[in-house]
Amino acid sequence: YGGWNFIHQAMNEIERREATLSQQGSQISLTSHAQLLTTIAERVARRSPAADKSLISTCIANASQYQGGPAEANGLITLNSEIREIVMGRIAAMAFDYSFHNRNRVTVSAFSNPVAMEKLCSALAANAVSSGPSAINHFMCEWIIPSARSLPPFAIACVIYHLGIEALQKIAPVGTRDMLQQLSSRVIGLVLAPVLHESIMEESDSALANHEANARVAATTLRAFERWCTATDISLPQIKHICSKVRVDITALISDALYSDSELVVEALAELFQICLKPRETGQISDERMTQARHIMEVDEEAFRSISREDIYRIECKEMNEALGELVTAVGLQRFRFSERQSTGDHGVCRNLTRIAASVGSASINGLISGQIQVPSTGLLELLMKAISHPLVYICSIALDVLVRLMPVDHNFPQRILPLLQHRAIIPYRIVGLAPTLNTTEAGGVDFVEYMSFRENSLGDVLVECFKQRRKYYMDSCTSAIEEFCNSSSTVEVSFQLEAALFCLNAVALEVTSTISKENQPMNGVPSISIEFDQQLLLCINALAKKPSCLAANPLALAQLNRYLTMYSRWFTKRGSEPALDVASELALSTIAMAGSAFQYGEPAADMLKEMQVSPFSEASKGVHCLLAKSPAHFASPQGVSSLAATWENSYASANRGSLSVDDRINICSGICRVLATISPPVQEKPYYAFCLPTIQCIKSMAKRADDQCLQGQQDQMLRPILKRMSDEIKILSTLVKALAEIDKTAPRKSNSENMNLSVTILKEIWPCLSHVTGKYASFNDVSRAIGGLLSHCIPIGLDDETSVSFLKELCSLANLLISTQSRDSIALIAVLQFLDDFVALHGENVEVAAATVLGAPVRASSSPYNQEIGKLVEKLMVDSIQVKKDALGVAWTRDKEQGQGQSPSESKAEPVSEQATSTDVLSMIFCLLTTCCRCCPTFLVHLPASPNVDREHDRLLNRAVESAVLSISNSDVEVAREAILFLKALMELLGRVQVPDDRVVIEAILSSVCHTIVKSVVAGVCGSFNAAALDPAASLLHTTLTGMSNVDAGSAIGLATQQEQVKQGQGVIESYLTRCSTGQIALTDLMDFAEELWEVHQVSETENIESDIIAGFAQKYRSAMVLDHPE
């Protein structure tokens, strides 16, 4: 019976069991059973009566033992409807029975539990909404509104609260919102406002015994207001207007509620403010707001047409500003209570008062600035400032978010707030013995990572706004603080204060450097602000040049110092003096030098270092990179190169210790390479080789150690650290090779035996070792990734001489060796595919010319004589790579031959193929590579064979790839689906620019066989199954596919697509809209918006096909758009 008979019998059982337990004097509670049963009733009540009947009919039809006829079946369906009415009647009787709300009675039913009672009320609301608008009207007008004075207030508030919740469900029937809007005046004026008034008054006057119950009623009523406002889009001025008719001043009532001692009430108020005071776009009044206004005014549509949106907006703005003026004053008075509750540790009330102040402040910004709200904002601002000083981060962050926008309200506000912000920037710590430890959890209520995120984002935004309002004051304050702390005695407190001062300076670095670059000239004899900034930054670096010992003792301060060097590297290299640049570089290099020995295990600072997400040495490596990269010539002197060489040597010891990561060393390495690039070519080779030599030696040493471990029969666990270190060194080598390649691009070409560039010379020494490592250890993912990265960085810039082509052969040999290894995660194969993708992107023209030459097509006379050899290398490596994993790529890659005339299995007469790829990461990379081929070498792609030693014209790789891509559109792995979609789109776009007629014929034949399937798959995916990240690419593919089809084919494909079971809603709208798209009437961006909204409509857990408000709104929106585009 659809669950209703079970609920009916279960309610009887609970009541019988309670009676038995009461007679026995037992204390056993059935509350948990009642809560579970009421939750079930709530879920079942969301199913409409029509859906109930359909469900029972389906159950009867599927019942193999049922012997009755149609009359008996109809009787069962009718009986189910009767039981539903009986159950809902029993639920209403319980919910509206005062005895169930009296917690002081001797015998308390399990259904009187507040949670169970709320679920009973929720079931009543769900039943009314699922039964349709007329049922809501009957329920409210015949039961709730006339009896509002006689029914339990908690039950009334709960029912209205859940009516709002149910109306917002995607499955709420069409007309639900309109019905609630029609009822707004009566529900708010005759029910909610009186209940709220009585509960607030009774809460303040009631004895302790009834205080909690009254607070619960007040909180629930406020929640009902909030949900009703959300469901109907009613505004605060409209609520105020309704309440004035029943002589209730809602703003005064809300102001009284602010003084409630109950956290539930204050939290409900905070949620109500967030909805009612939500900022809206200037001049924007929604259709729902206009409809609500018409129902409040009680006029018909014809009479309401004389009232424009501008009229409503103007009236609402005026009334809203009046209400906000009252609220600004009322909330400002809560600053005294905030301090009182903070002193008693009532952080919940403090948080909600801050939320309320933030909502009122956000809504009042424009009115306070323009003067339309003519009340003092001092109290509100002081409350927010108290919230900033609150120790708990989540309270402070609420206030900071709104204070960013409230700065212009008071010209002196930045000066008042900056000291608070600077103090807030000090990371909480405590002293245990003589050692500092971080204390963010106890002091701020969040862990260290969350605190740093708060400081970087929320606090940083307010600091930037303070700087914009008072730039000179801000910089003077930070500069004087840094000078003071650098001259102070070295204490723990000073180190944390210096770190905070540096953070405040770093927070505005982008603003400072951009100001310096723009405002250089004096105005009216007054020095420009840039000159003053120059002076202040020079004072800062001079103070830091003293290297106060507190910096070296505190890793947080040391990290912030080096971040300062990075953030202001542009100033150091462009406007700062050479001594200032020398000081900055010396500070960064000295920090890197500390990486080998500082913060030893057991030191208090070592514990802080573990907590940090970015170490001071990582920040120093970034600083070194920025300084070297932006002013390389400054460091190119023999002394400078010598200093850098020493730093590079020391980095190996730091790497052994683990204090410098491979990314840190890559930063240092790339910066040094920029310096070496400025050295004159005759003397470049020696320093470059000197920098490469330690890396080469380390790779060889690690390879030997790994071999020795293997000889001793050690397990993989012993090998992994060695191979990890070796992989890191290979990454360093890749960075060096990439830097050398950049120099080779700009250097004059040599001739004959000197033609081999420096990178090839260096690699030649290490190549045998790399080949050995690849063959033996590429099954380890770290090694595979490192070798793959090296392959990509080693791609020659030019391929017009024998040396570069020979080197390419070596790279392909190493790549073949890499894919021959068996890696469980396919990392090696992905690395090779990435190498091919990078190669095709760089040298696709050479590959394309090679393919054209084989086919006898004309080529440019100036093309390289090595192109055919290059094309063969790439073709062999690409085909061999795919063959390695073809069994895990899906059925499209393993079938024996093409079907029919090249159609995919899904288009053939056989059953559609459904096998999906198991190696999705490889398949994703293959699609990415094929997309690059579409762009760079289409002829090569068209004639690529599916496997070695087959007729390329009979078994094309492109056929299999397209078939696989079509099947992958619906893959659950979003990256595979996305890359497959991008590949198909690139192939379709290729038709518009392919120059070889035969190639066009092949591509058209392949695509024409799958277009219908593409449309079906994309429409099915957009109707719910796609990940949201795939929507825009899918819409783009659909747009390209439809606009490329004939009207007849497009109409057929759209018709089949909209008949799929996945399309549960809006079939007619979808078909009409896509038909217009196929004729070029819909822009791509519009189709993307349509796809996103269609996807949202289908994101429902219910399987019931119901015409809801959301679905009706979707259909109406796009029908209206079509009418506007094509008026009769």
Side-chain angles (χ1 to χ4, degrees):
Y1 296 112
W4 292 111
N5 192 51
F6 166 79
I7 295 171
H8 187 38
Q9 298 299 330
M11 291 173 72
N12 291 336
E13 185 61 29
I14 288 177
E15 290 177 342
R16 280 196 297 266
R17 184 63 176 162
E18 280 187 328
T20 303
L21 292 173
S22 177
Q23 292 174 359
Q24 297 172 352
S26 173
Q27 299 299 315
I28 297 175
S29 173
L30 300 179
T31 299
S32 59
H33 297 272
Q35 290 177 355
L36 177 60
L37 183 61
T38 53
T39 301
I40 294 172
E42 176 194 44
R43 295 295 301 272
V44 175
R46 286 179 177 152
R47 195 167 55 228
S48 69
D52 258 354
K53 293 179 180 179
S54 175
L55 179 64
I56 300 301
S57 299
T58 302
C59 291
I60 292 173
N62 293 337
S64 58
Q65 303 300 320
Y66 180 72
Q67 303 297 326
E72 289 82 356
N74 288 332
L76 290 175
I77 293 172
T78 303
L79 179 60
N80 176 72
S81 299
E82 293 173 355
I83 295 175
R84 176 174 183 150
E85 292 180 5
I86 292 171
V87 171
M88 294 313 301
R90 293 184 66 182
I91 289 175
M94 290 180 182
F96 298 136
D97 187 342
Y98 263 104
S99 65
F100 279 81
H101 296 267
N102 183 6
R103 304 295 294 172
N104 297 321
R105 67 176 186 167
V106 177
T107 304
V108 179
S109 169
F111 290 106
S112 66
N113 174 267
V115 175
M117 181 57 62
E118 183 167 346
K119 288 295 182 181
L120 290 174
C121 296
S122 176
L124 291 173
N127 180 68
V129 171
S130 65
S131 299
S134 59
I136 297 174
N137 185 60
H138 175 79
F139 180 58
M140 295 300 296
C141 295
E142 300 296 328
W143 285 73
I144 302 299
I145 296 173
S147 309
R149 296 287 183 179
S150 57
L151 295 177
F154 178 75
I156 294 176
C158 258
V159 166
I160 296 175
Y161 169 64
H162 284 283
L163 270 177
I165 290 177
E166 297 299 325
L168 291 169
Q169 298 281 342
K170 291 183 178 179
I171 59 170
V174 64
T176 299
R177 171 175 284 190
D178 186 69
M179 178 53 65
L180 262 61
Q181 289 178 328
Q182 293 180 42
L183 294 169
S184 287
S185 294
R186 284 172 286 176
V187 168
I188 292 175
L190 301 178
V191 183
L192 290 180
V195 169
L196 180 62
H197 182 269
E198 292 178 10
S199 61
I200 293 295
M201 295 301 104
E202 290 177 4
E203 185 201 0
S204 59
D205 298 335
S206 62
L208 184 63
N210 296 324
H211 180 80
E212 182 181 348
N214 288 326
R216 189 169 66 250
V217 172
T220 305
T221 308
L222 288 167
R223 289 161 62 202
F225 263 110
E226 181 266 325
R227 284 294 86 189
W228 195 273
C229 290
T230 304
T232 62
D233 199 24
I234 193 170
S235 65
L236 180 60
Q238 290 173 337
I239 294 175
K240 191 175 180 181
H241 175 75
I242 293 170
C243 292
S244 65
K245 293 182 178 179
V246 293
R247 298 181 180 179
V248 174
D249 187 343
I250 191 66
T251 51
L253 191 58
I254 289 173
S255 300
D256 291 339
L258 286 169
Y259 289 93
S260 172
D261 292 330
S262 170
E263 183 179 343
L264 289 175
V265 173
V266 183
E267 183 172 13
L269 271 173
E271 292 172 358
L272 176 61
F273 276 117
Q274 285 182 331
I275 293 300
C276 287
L277 303 181
K278 187 183 297 182
R280 298 181 180 274
E281 294 183 20
T282 303
Q284 294 296 316
I285 293 289
S286 65
D287 292 338
E288 291 78 10
R289 178 69 59 83
M290 292 294 290
T291 303
Q292 182 64 84
R294 177 171 63 83
H295 288 311
I296 292 173
M297 295 170 66
E298 298 179 351
V299 296
D300 56 26
E301 292 187 29
E302 185 65 31
F304 190 70
R305 286 191 185 127
S306 61
I307 303 174
S308 67
R309 292 178 187 269
E310 291 73 19
D311 295 333
I312 297 293
Y313 178 77
R314 187 170 54 256
I315 294 170
E316 286 213 350
C317 282
K318 180 181 178 181
E319 295 183 359
M320 178 65 89
N321 285 334
E322 293 175 359
L324 286 173
E326 298 177 41
L327 292 175
V328 166
T329 302
V331 173
L333 293 173
Q334 295 298 310
R335 63 187 184 277
F336 307 110
R337 187 158 170 263
F338 184 96
S339 301
E340 174 194 337
R341 301 312 286 263
Q342 181 179 345
S343 64
T344 60
D346 194 347
H347 302 311
V349 170
C350 290
R351 177 178 66 88
N352 288 310
L353 285 176
T354 306
R355 291 173 62 196
I356 291 169
S359 296
V360 173
S362 296
S364 306
I365 290 173
N366 294 334
L368 290 171
I369 293 175
S370 64
Q372 293 175 342
I373 299 178
Q374 297 182 351
V375 296
S377 59
T378 307
L380 178 66
L381 295 177
E382 286 187 8
L383 172 55
L384 290 170
M385 289 177 67
K386 288 178 181 293
I388 289 175
S389 302
H390 196 283
L392 295 183
V393 165
Y394 62 82
I395 293 177
C396 176
S397 61
I398 296 170
L400 289 176
D401 288 342
V402 68
L403 277 174
V404 173
R405 291 166 286 154
L406 280 171
M407 288 281 182
V409 172
D410 184 348
H411 183 66
N412 295 318
F413 193 49
Q415 289 178 247
R416 296 169 55 199
I417 196 176
L418 183 58
L420 294 176
L421 299 176
Q422 290 172 328
H423 183 267
R424 190 80 218 200
I426 300 174
I427 297 172
Y429 66 95
R430 63 181 175 179
I431 306 296
V432 179
L434 297 176
T437 59
L438 299 176
N439 193 34
T440 58
T441 302
E442 292 183 16
V446 295
D447 62 27
F448 177 71
V449 174
E450 290 173 318
Y451 178 84
M452 297 303 282
S453 175
F454 149 76
R455 191 173 75 154
E456 190 69 29
N457 297 296
S458 297
L459 187 58
D461 289 345
V462 183
L463 288 170
V464 170
E465 192 61 32
C466 273
F467 171 81
K468 290 178 179 178
Q469 298 292 325
R470 288 295 184 88
R471 295 186 296 182
K472 186 178 184 305
Y473 173 78
Y474 186 101
M475 291 297 291
D476 285 340
S477 176
C478 291
T479 302
S480 61
I482 290 172
E483 287 186 299
E484 177 186 348
F485 298 141
C486 287
N487 291 323
S488 301
S489 57
S490 181
T491 63
V492 171
E493 290 82 0
V494 168
S495 70
F496 280 95
Q497 290 167 348
L498 178 57
E499 191 275 343
L502 287 167
F503 166 77
C504 292
L505 198 58
N506 292 339
V508 298
L510 293 177
E511 297 291 331
V512 172
T513 52
S514 63
T515 300
I516 289 174
S517 65
K518 293 176 183 176
E519 302 179 23
N520 290 317
Q521 303 300 322
M523 295 184 65
N524 300 324
V526 179
S528 71
I529 192 70
S530 297
I531 295 175
E532 294 186 4
F533 285 174
D534 288 339
Q535 295 170 351
Q536 290 160 331
L537 292 174
L538 192 58
L539 290 173
C540 288
I541 195 62
N542 288 338
L544 293 167
K546 299 173 184 178
K547 292 186 180 179
S549 56
C550 63
L551 273 175
N554 188 331
L556 291 165
L558 193 61
Q560 203 63 244
L561 165 67
N562 284 280
R563 188 164 181 241
Y564 162 74
L565 301 176
T566 303
M567 299 294 287
Y568 288 94
S569 58
R570 180 179 174 187
W571 179 83
F572 286 119
T573 56
K574 302 299 181 184
R575 291 180 63 91
S577 61
E578 288 196 3
L581 179 56
D582 288 335
V583 170
S585 60
E586 202 278 329
L587 286 170
L589 292 174
S590 63
T591 303
I592 292 173
M594 294 171 58
S597 57
F599 312 125
Q600 296 288 342
Y601 178 78
E603 294 181 9
D607 295 331
M608 284 196 284
L609 190 62
K610 290 179 183 177
E611 294 277 352
M612 297 171 63
Q613 288 183 302
V614 181
S615 75
F617 313 119
S618 294
E619 294 287 6
S621 68
K622 295 174 187 174
V624 167
H625 173 79
C626 289
L627 293 171
L628 298 183
K630 290 176 180 176
S631 186
H634 179 80
F635 301 94
S637 64
Q639 295 84 355
V641 173
S642 176
S643 176
L644 294 177
T647 300
W648 186 239
E649 287 288 344
N650 292 335
S651 73
Y652 280 83
S654 302
N656 292 335
R657 186 189 175 207
S659 53
L660 271 183
S661 69
V662 63
D663 292 332
D664 300 336
R665 296 175 64 219
I666 286 174
N667 275 328
I668 299 169
C669 176
S670 58
I672 292 174
C673 288
R674 293 289 294 272
V675 173
L676 297 180
T678 63
I679 300 175
S680 58
V683 295
Q684 249 178 13
E685 186 168 341
K686 185 176 179 180
Y688 257 120
Y689 186 77
F691 274 100
C692 294
L693 188 58
T695 303
I696 293 172
Q697 291 174 343
C698 189
I699 294 172
K700 291 180 178 179
S701 174
M702 292 296 108
K704 186 177 184 305
R705 286 184 60 187
D707 292 343
D708 292 342
Q709 291 288 342
C710 289
L711 289 174
Q712 296 172 17
Q714 296 293 343
Q715 299 296 322
D716 286 356
Q717 293 88 332
M718 301 296 294
L719 272 176
R720 289 189 187 281
I722 300 172
L723 296 177
K724 176 66 169 64
R725 179 60 194 280
M726 181 173 63
S727 302
D728 290 347
E729 295 304 316
I730 294 173
K731 291 177 182 177
I732 298 291
L733 182 64
S734 298
T735 303
L736 289 163
V737 169
K738 184 179 180 181
L740 291 170
E742 291 297 321
I743 294 175
D744 287 338
K745 263 199 305 190
T746 58
R749 299 296 292 172
K750 302 175 184 178
S751 59
N752 302 328
S753 61
E754 294 182 329
N755 201 33
M756 182 178 292
N757 59 42
L758 185 55
S759 59
V760 175
T761 304
I762 292 172
L763 287 169
K764 189 175 181 180
E765 180 174 341
I766 192 64
W767 204 258
C769 180
L770 291 175
S771 298
H772 168 73
V773 166
T774 303
K776 192 169 184 179
Y777 301 114
S779 58
F780 291 84
N781 290 342
D782 288 333
V783 176
S784 297
R785 290 191 186 97
I787 295 294
L790 180 64
L791 287 173
S792 292
H793 287 159
C794 286
I795 297 173
I797 301 298
L799 289 173
D800 53 359
D801 59 66
E802 187 174 349
T803 300
S804 57
V805 175
S806 297
F807 185 49
L808 176 61
K809 290 180 182 178
E810 293 292 337
L811 293 177
C812 291
S813 297
L814 192 63
N816 275 308
L817 192 60
L818 193 59
I819 62 174
S820 65
T821 60
Q822 295 300 317
S823 174
R824 181 180 58 189
D825 298 328
S826 306
I827 300 298
L829 179 55
I830 292 172
V832 173
L833 292 170
Q834 183 63 60
F835 160 68
L836 283 167
D837 187 67
D838 294 337
F839 182 87
V840 171
L842 183 62
H843 296 296
E845 183 178 356
N846 299 72
V847 178
E848 182 73 349
V849 170
T853 303
V854 171
L855 296 172
V859 298
R860 290 184 302 146
S862 60
S863 60
S864 171
Y866 301 97
N867 283 337
Q868 288 195 47
E869 192 172 1
I870 295 168
K872 289 178 182 178
L873 287 170
V874 175
E875 178 181 313
K876 183 179 186 307
L877 183 57
M878 187 181 295
V879 174
D880 289 347
S881 298
I882 294 174
Q883 288 297 303
V884 169
K885 275 283 186 179
K886 71 174 185 178
D887 292 337
L889 299 180
V891 70
W893 301 93
T894 56
R895 58 180 174 77
D896 293 335
K897 60 181 180 178
E898 298 181 57
Q899 303 185 13
Q901 297 302 315
Q903 73 269 30
S904 68
S906 53
E907 291 292 321
S908 67
K909 296 180 180 179
E911 289 295 318
V913 179
S914 60
E915 289 86 343
Q916 293 286 340
T918 56
S919 187
T920 54
D921 49 356
V922 174
L923 187 58
S924 175
M925 191 64 233
I926 289 174
F927 289 141
C928 181
L929 171 59
L930 295 176
T931 302
T932 304
C933 290
C934 284
R935 188 176 67 253
C936 301
C937 50
T939 299
F940 169 80
L941 174 63
V942 169
H943 298 279
L944 198 62
S947 57
N949 305 318
V950 300
D951 183 354
R952 67 181 69 238
E953 306 302 327
H954 176 68
D955 191 4
R956 301 177 192 274
L957 184 141
L958 185 59
N959 287 81
R960 296 177 183 268
V962 169
E963 179 184 331
S964 176
V966 172
L967 293 172
S968 299
I969 290 175
S970 56
N971 197 295
S972 58
D973 187 314
V974 62
E975 193 59 31
V976 173
R978 183 176 178 278
E979 292 296 342
I981 289 168
L982 292 176
F983 164 58
L984 290 170
K985 184 174 185 296
L987 190 62
M988 289 183 177
E989 291 173 343
L990 179 61
L991 275 176
R993 54 186 174 82
V994 68
Q995 298 179 354
V996 182
D998 291 344
D999 293 353
R1000 175 184 291 276
V1001 171
V1002 171
I1003 296 172
E1004 284 180 341
I1006 294 173
L1007 290 177
S1008 63
S1009 65
V1010 296
C1011 280
H1012 280 65
T1013 307
I1014 290 174
V1015 175
K1016 288 177 63 178
S1017 298
V1018 172
V1019 170
V1022 169
C1023 289
S1025 64
F1026 273 153
N1027 184 289
L1031 288 176
D1032 281 355
S1036 180
L1037 173 62
L1038 183 60
H1039 190 274
T1040 304
T1041 305
L1042 291 176
T1043 53
M1045 299 172 72
S1046 67
N1047 291 342
V1048 175
D1049 288 341
S1052 172
I1054 293 167
L1056 293 172
T1058 53
Q1059 292 171 13
Q1060 299 175 98
E1061 62 178 7
Q1062 293 92 338
V1063 185
K1064 298 183 176 67
Q1065 311 291 350
Q1067 289 89 340
V1069 175
I1070 298 171
E1071 186 168 354
S1072 300
Y1073 197 82
L1074 294 184
T1075 300
R1076 293 180 59 219
C1077 179
S1078 67
T1079 59
Q1081 300 177 55
I1082 303 296
L1084 174 58
T1085 53
D1086 292 335
L1087 183 61
M1088 288 180 175
D1089 293 339
F1090 176 83
E1092 184 177 351
E1093 292 186 42
L1094 181 60
W1095 182 82
E1096 285 286 351
V1097 163
H1098 283 79
Q1099 297 305 302
V1100 290
S1101 58
E1102 305 291 338
T1103 57
E1104 182 181 350
N1105 191 349
I1106 184 170
E1107 186 72 6
S1108 70
D1109 263 338
I1110 292 177
I1111 295 165
F1114 167 79
Q1116 179 62 32
K1117 174 181 177 179
Y1118 286 99
R1119 286 197 189 103
S1120 299
M1122 286 185 276
V1123 169
L1124 289 173
D1125 289 344
H1126 295 281
E1128 293 182 3

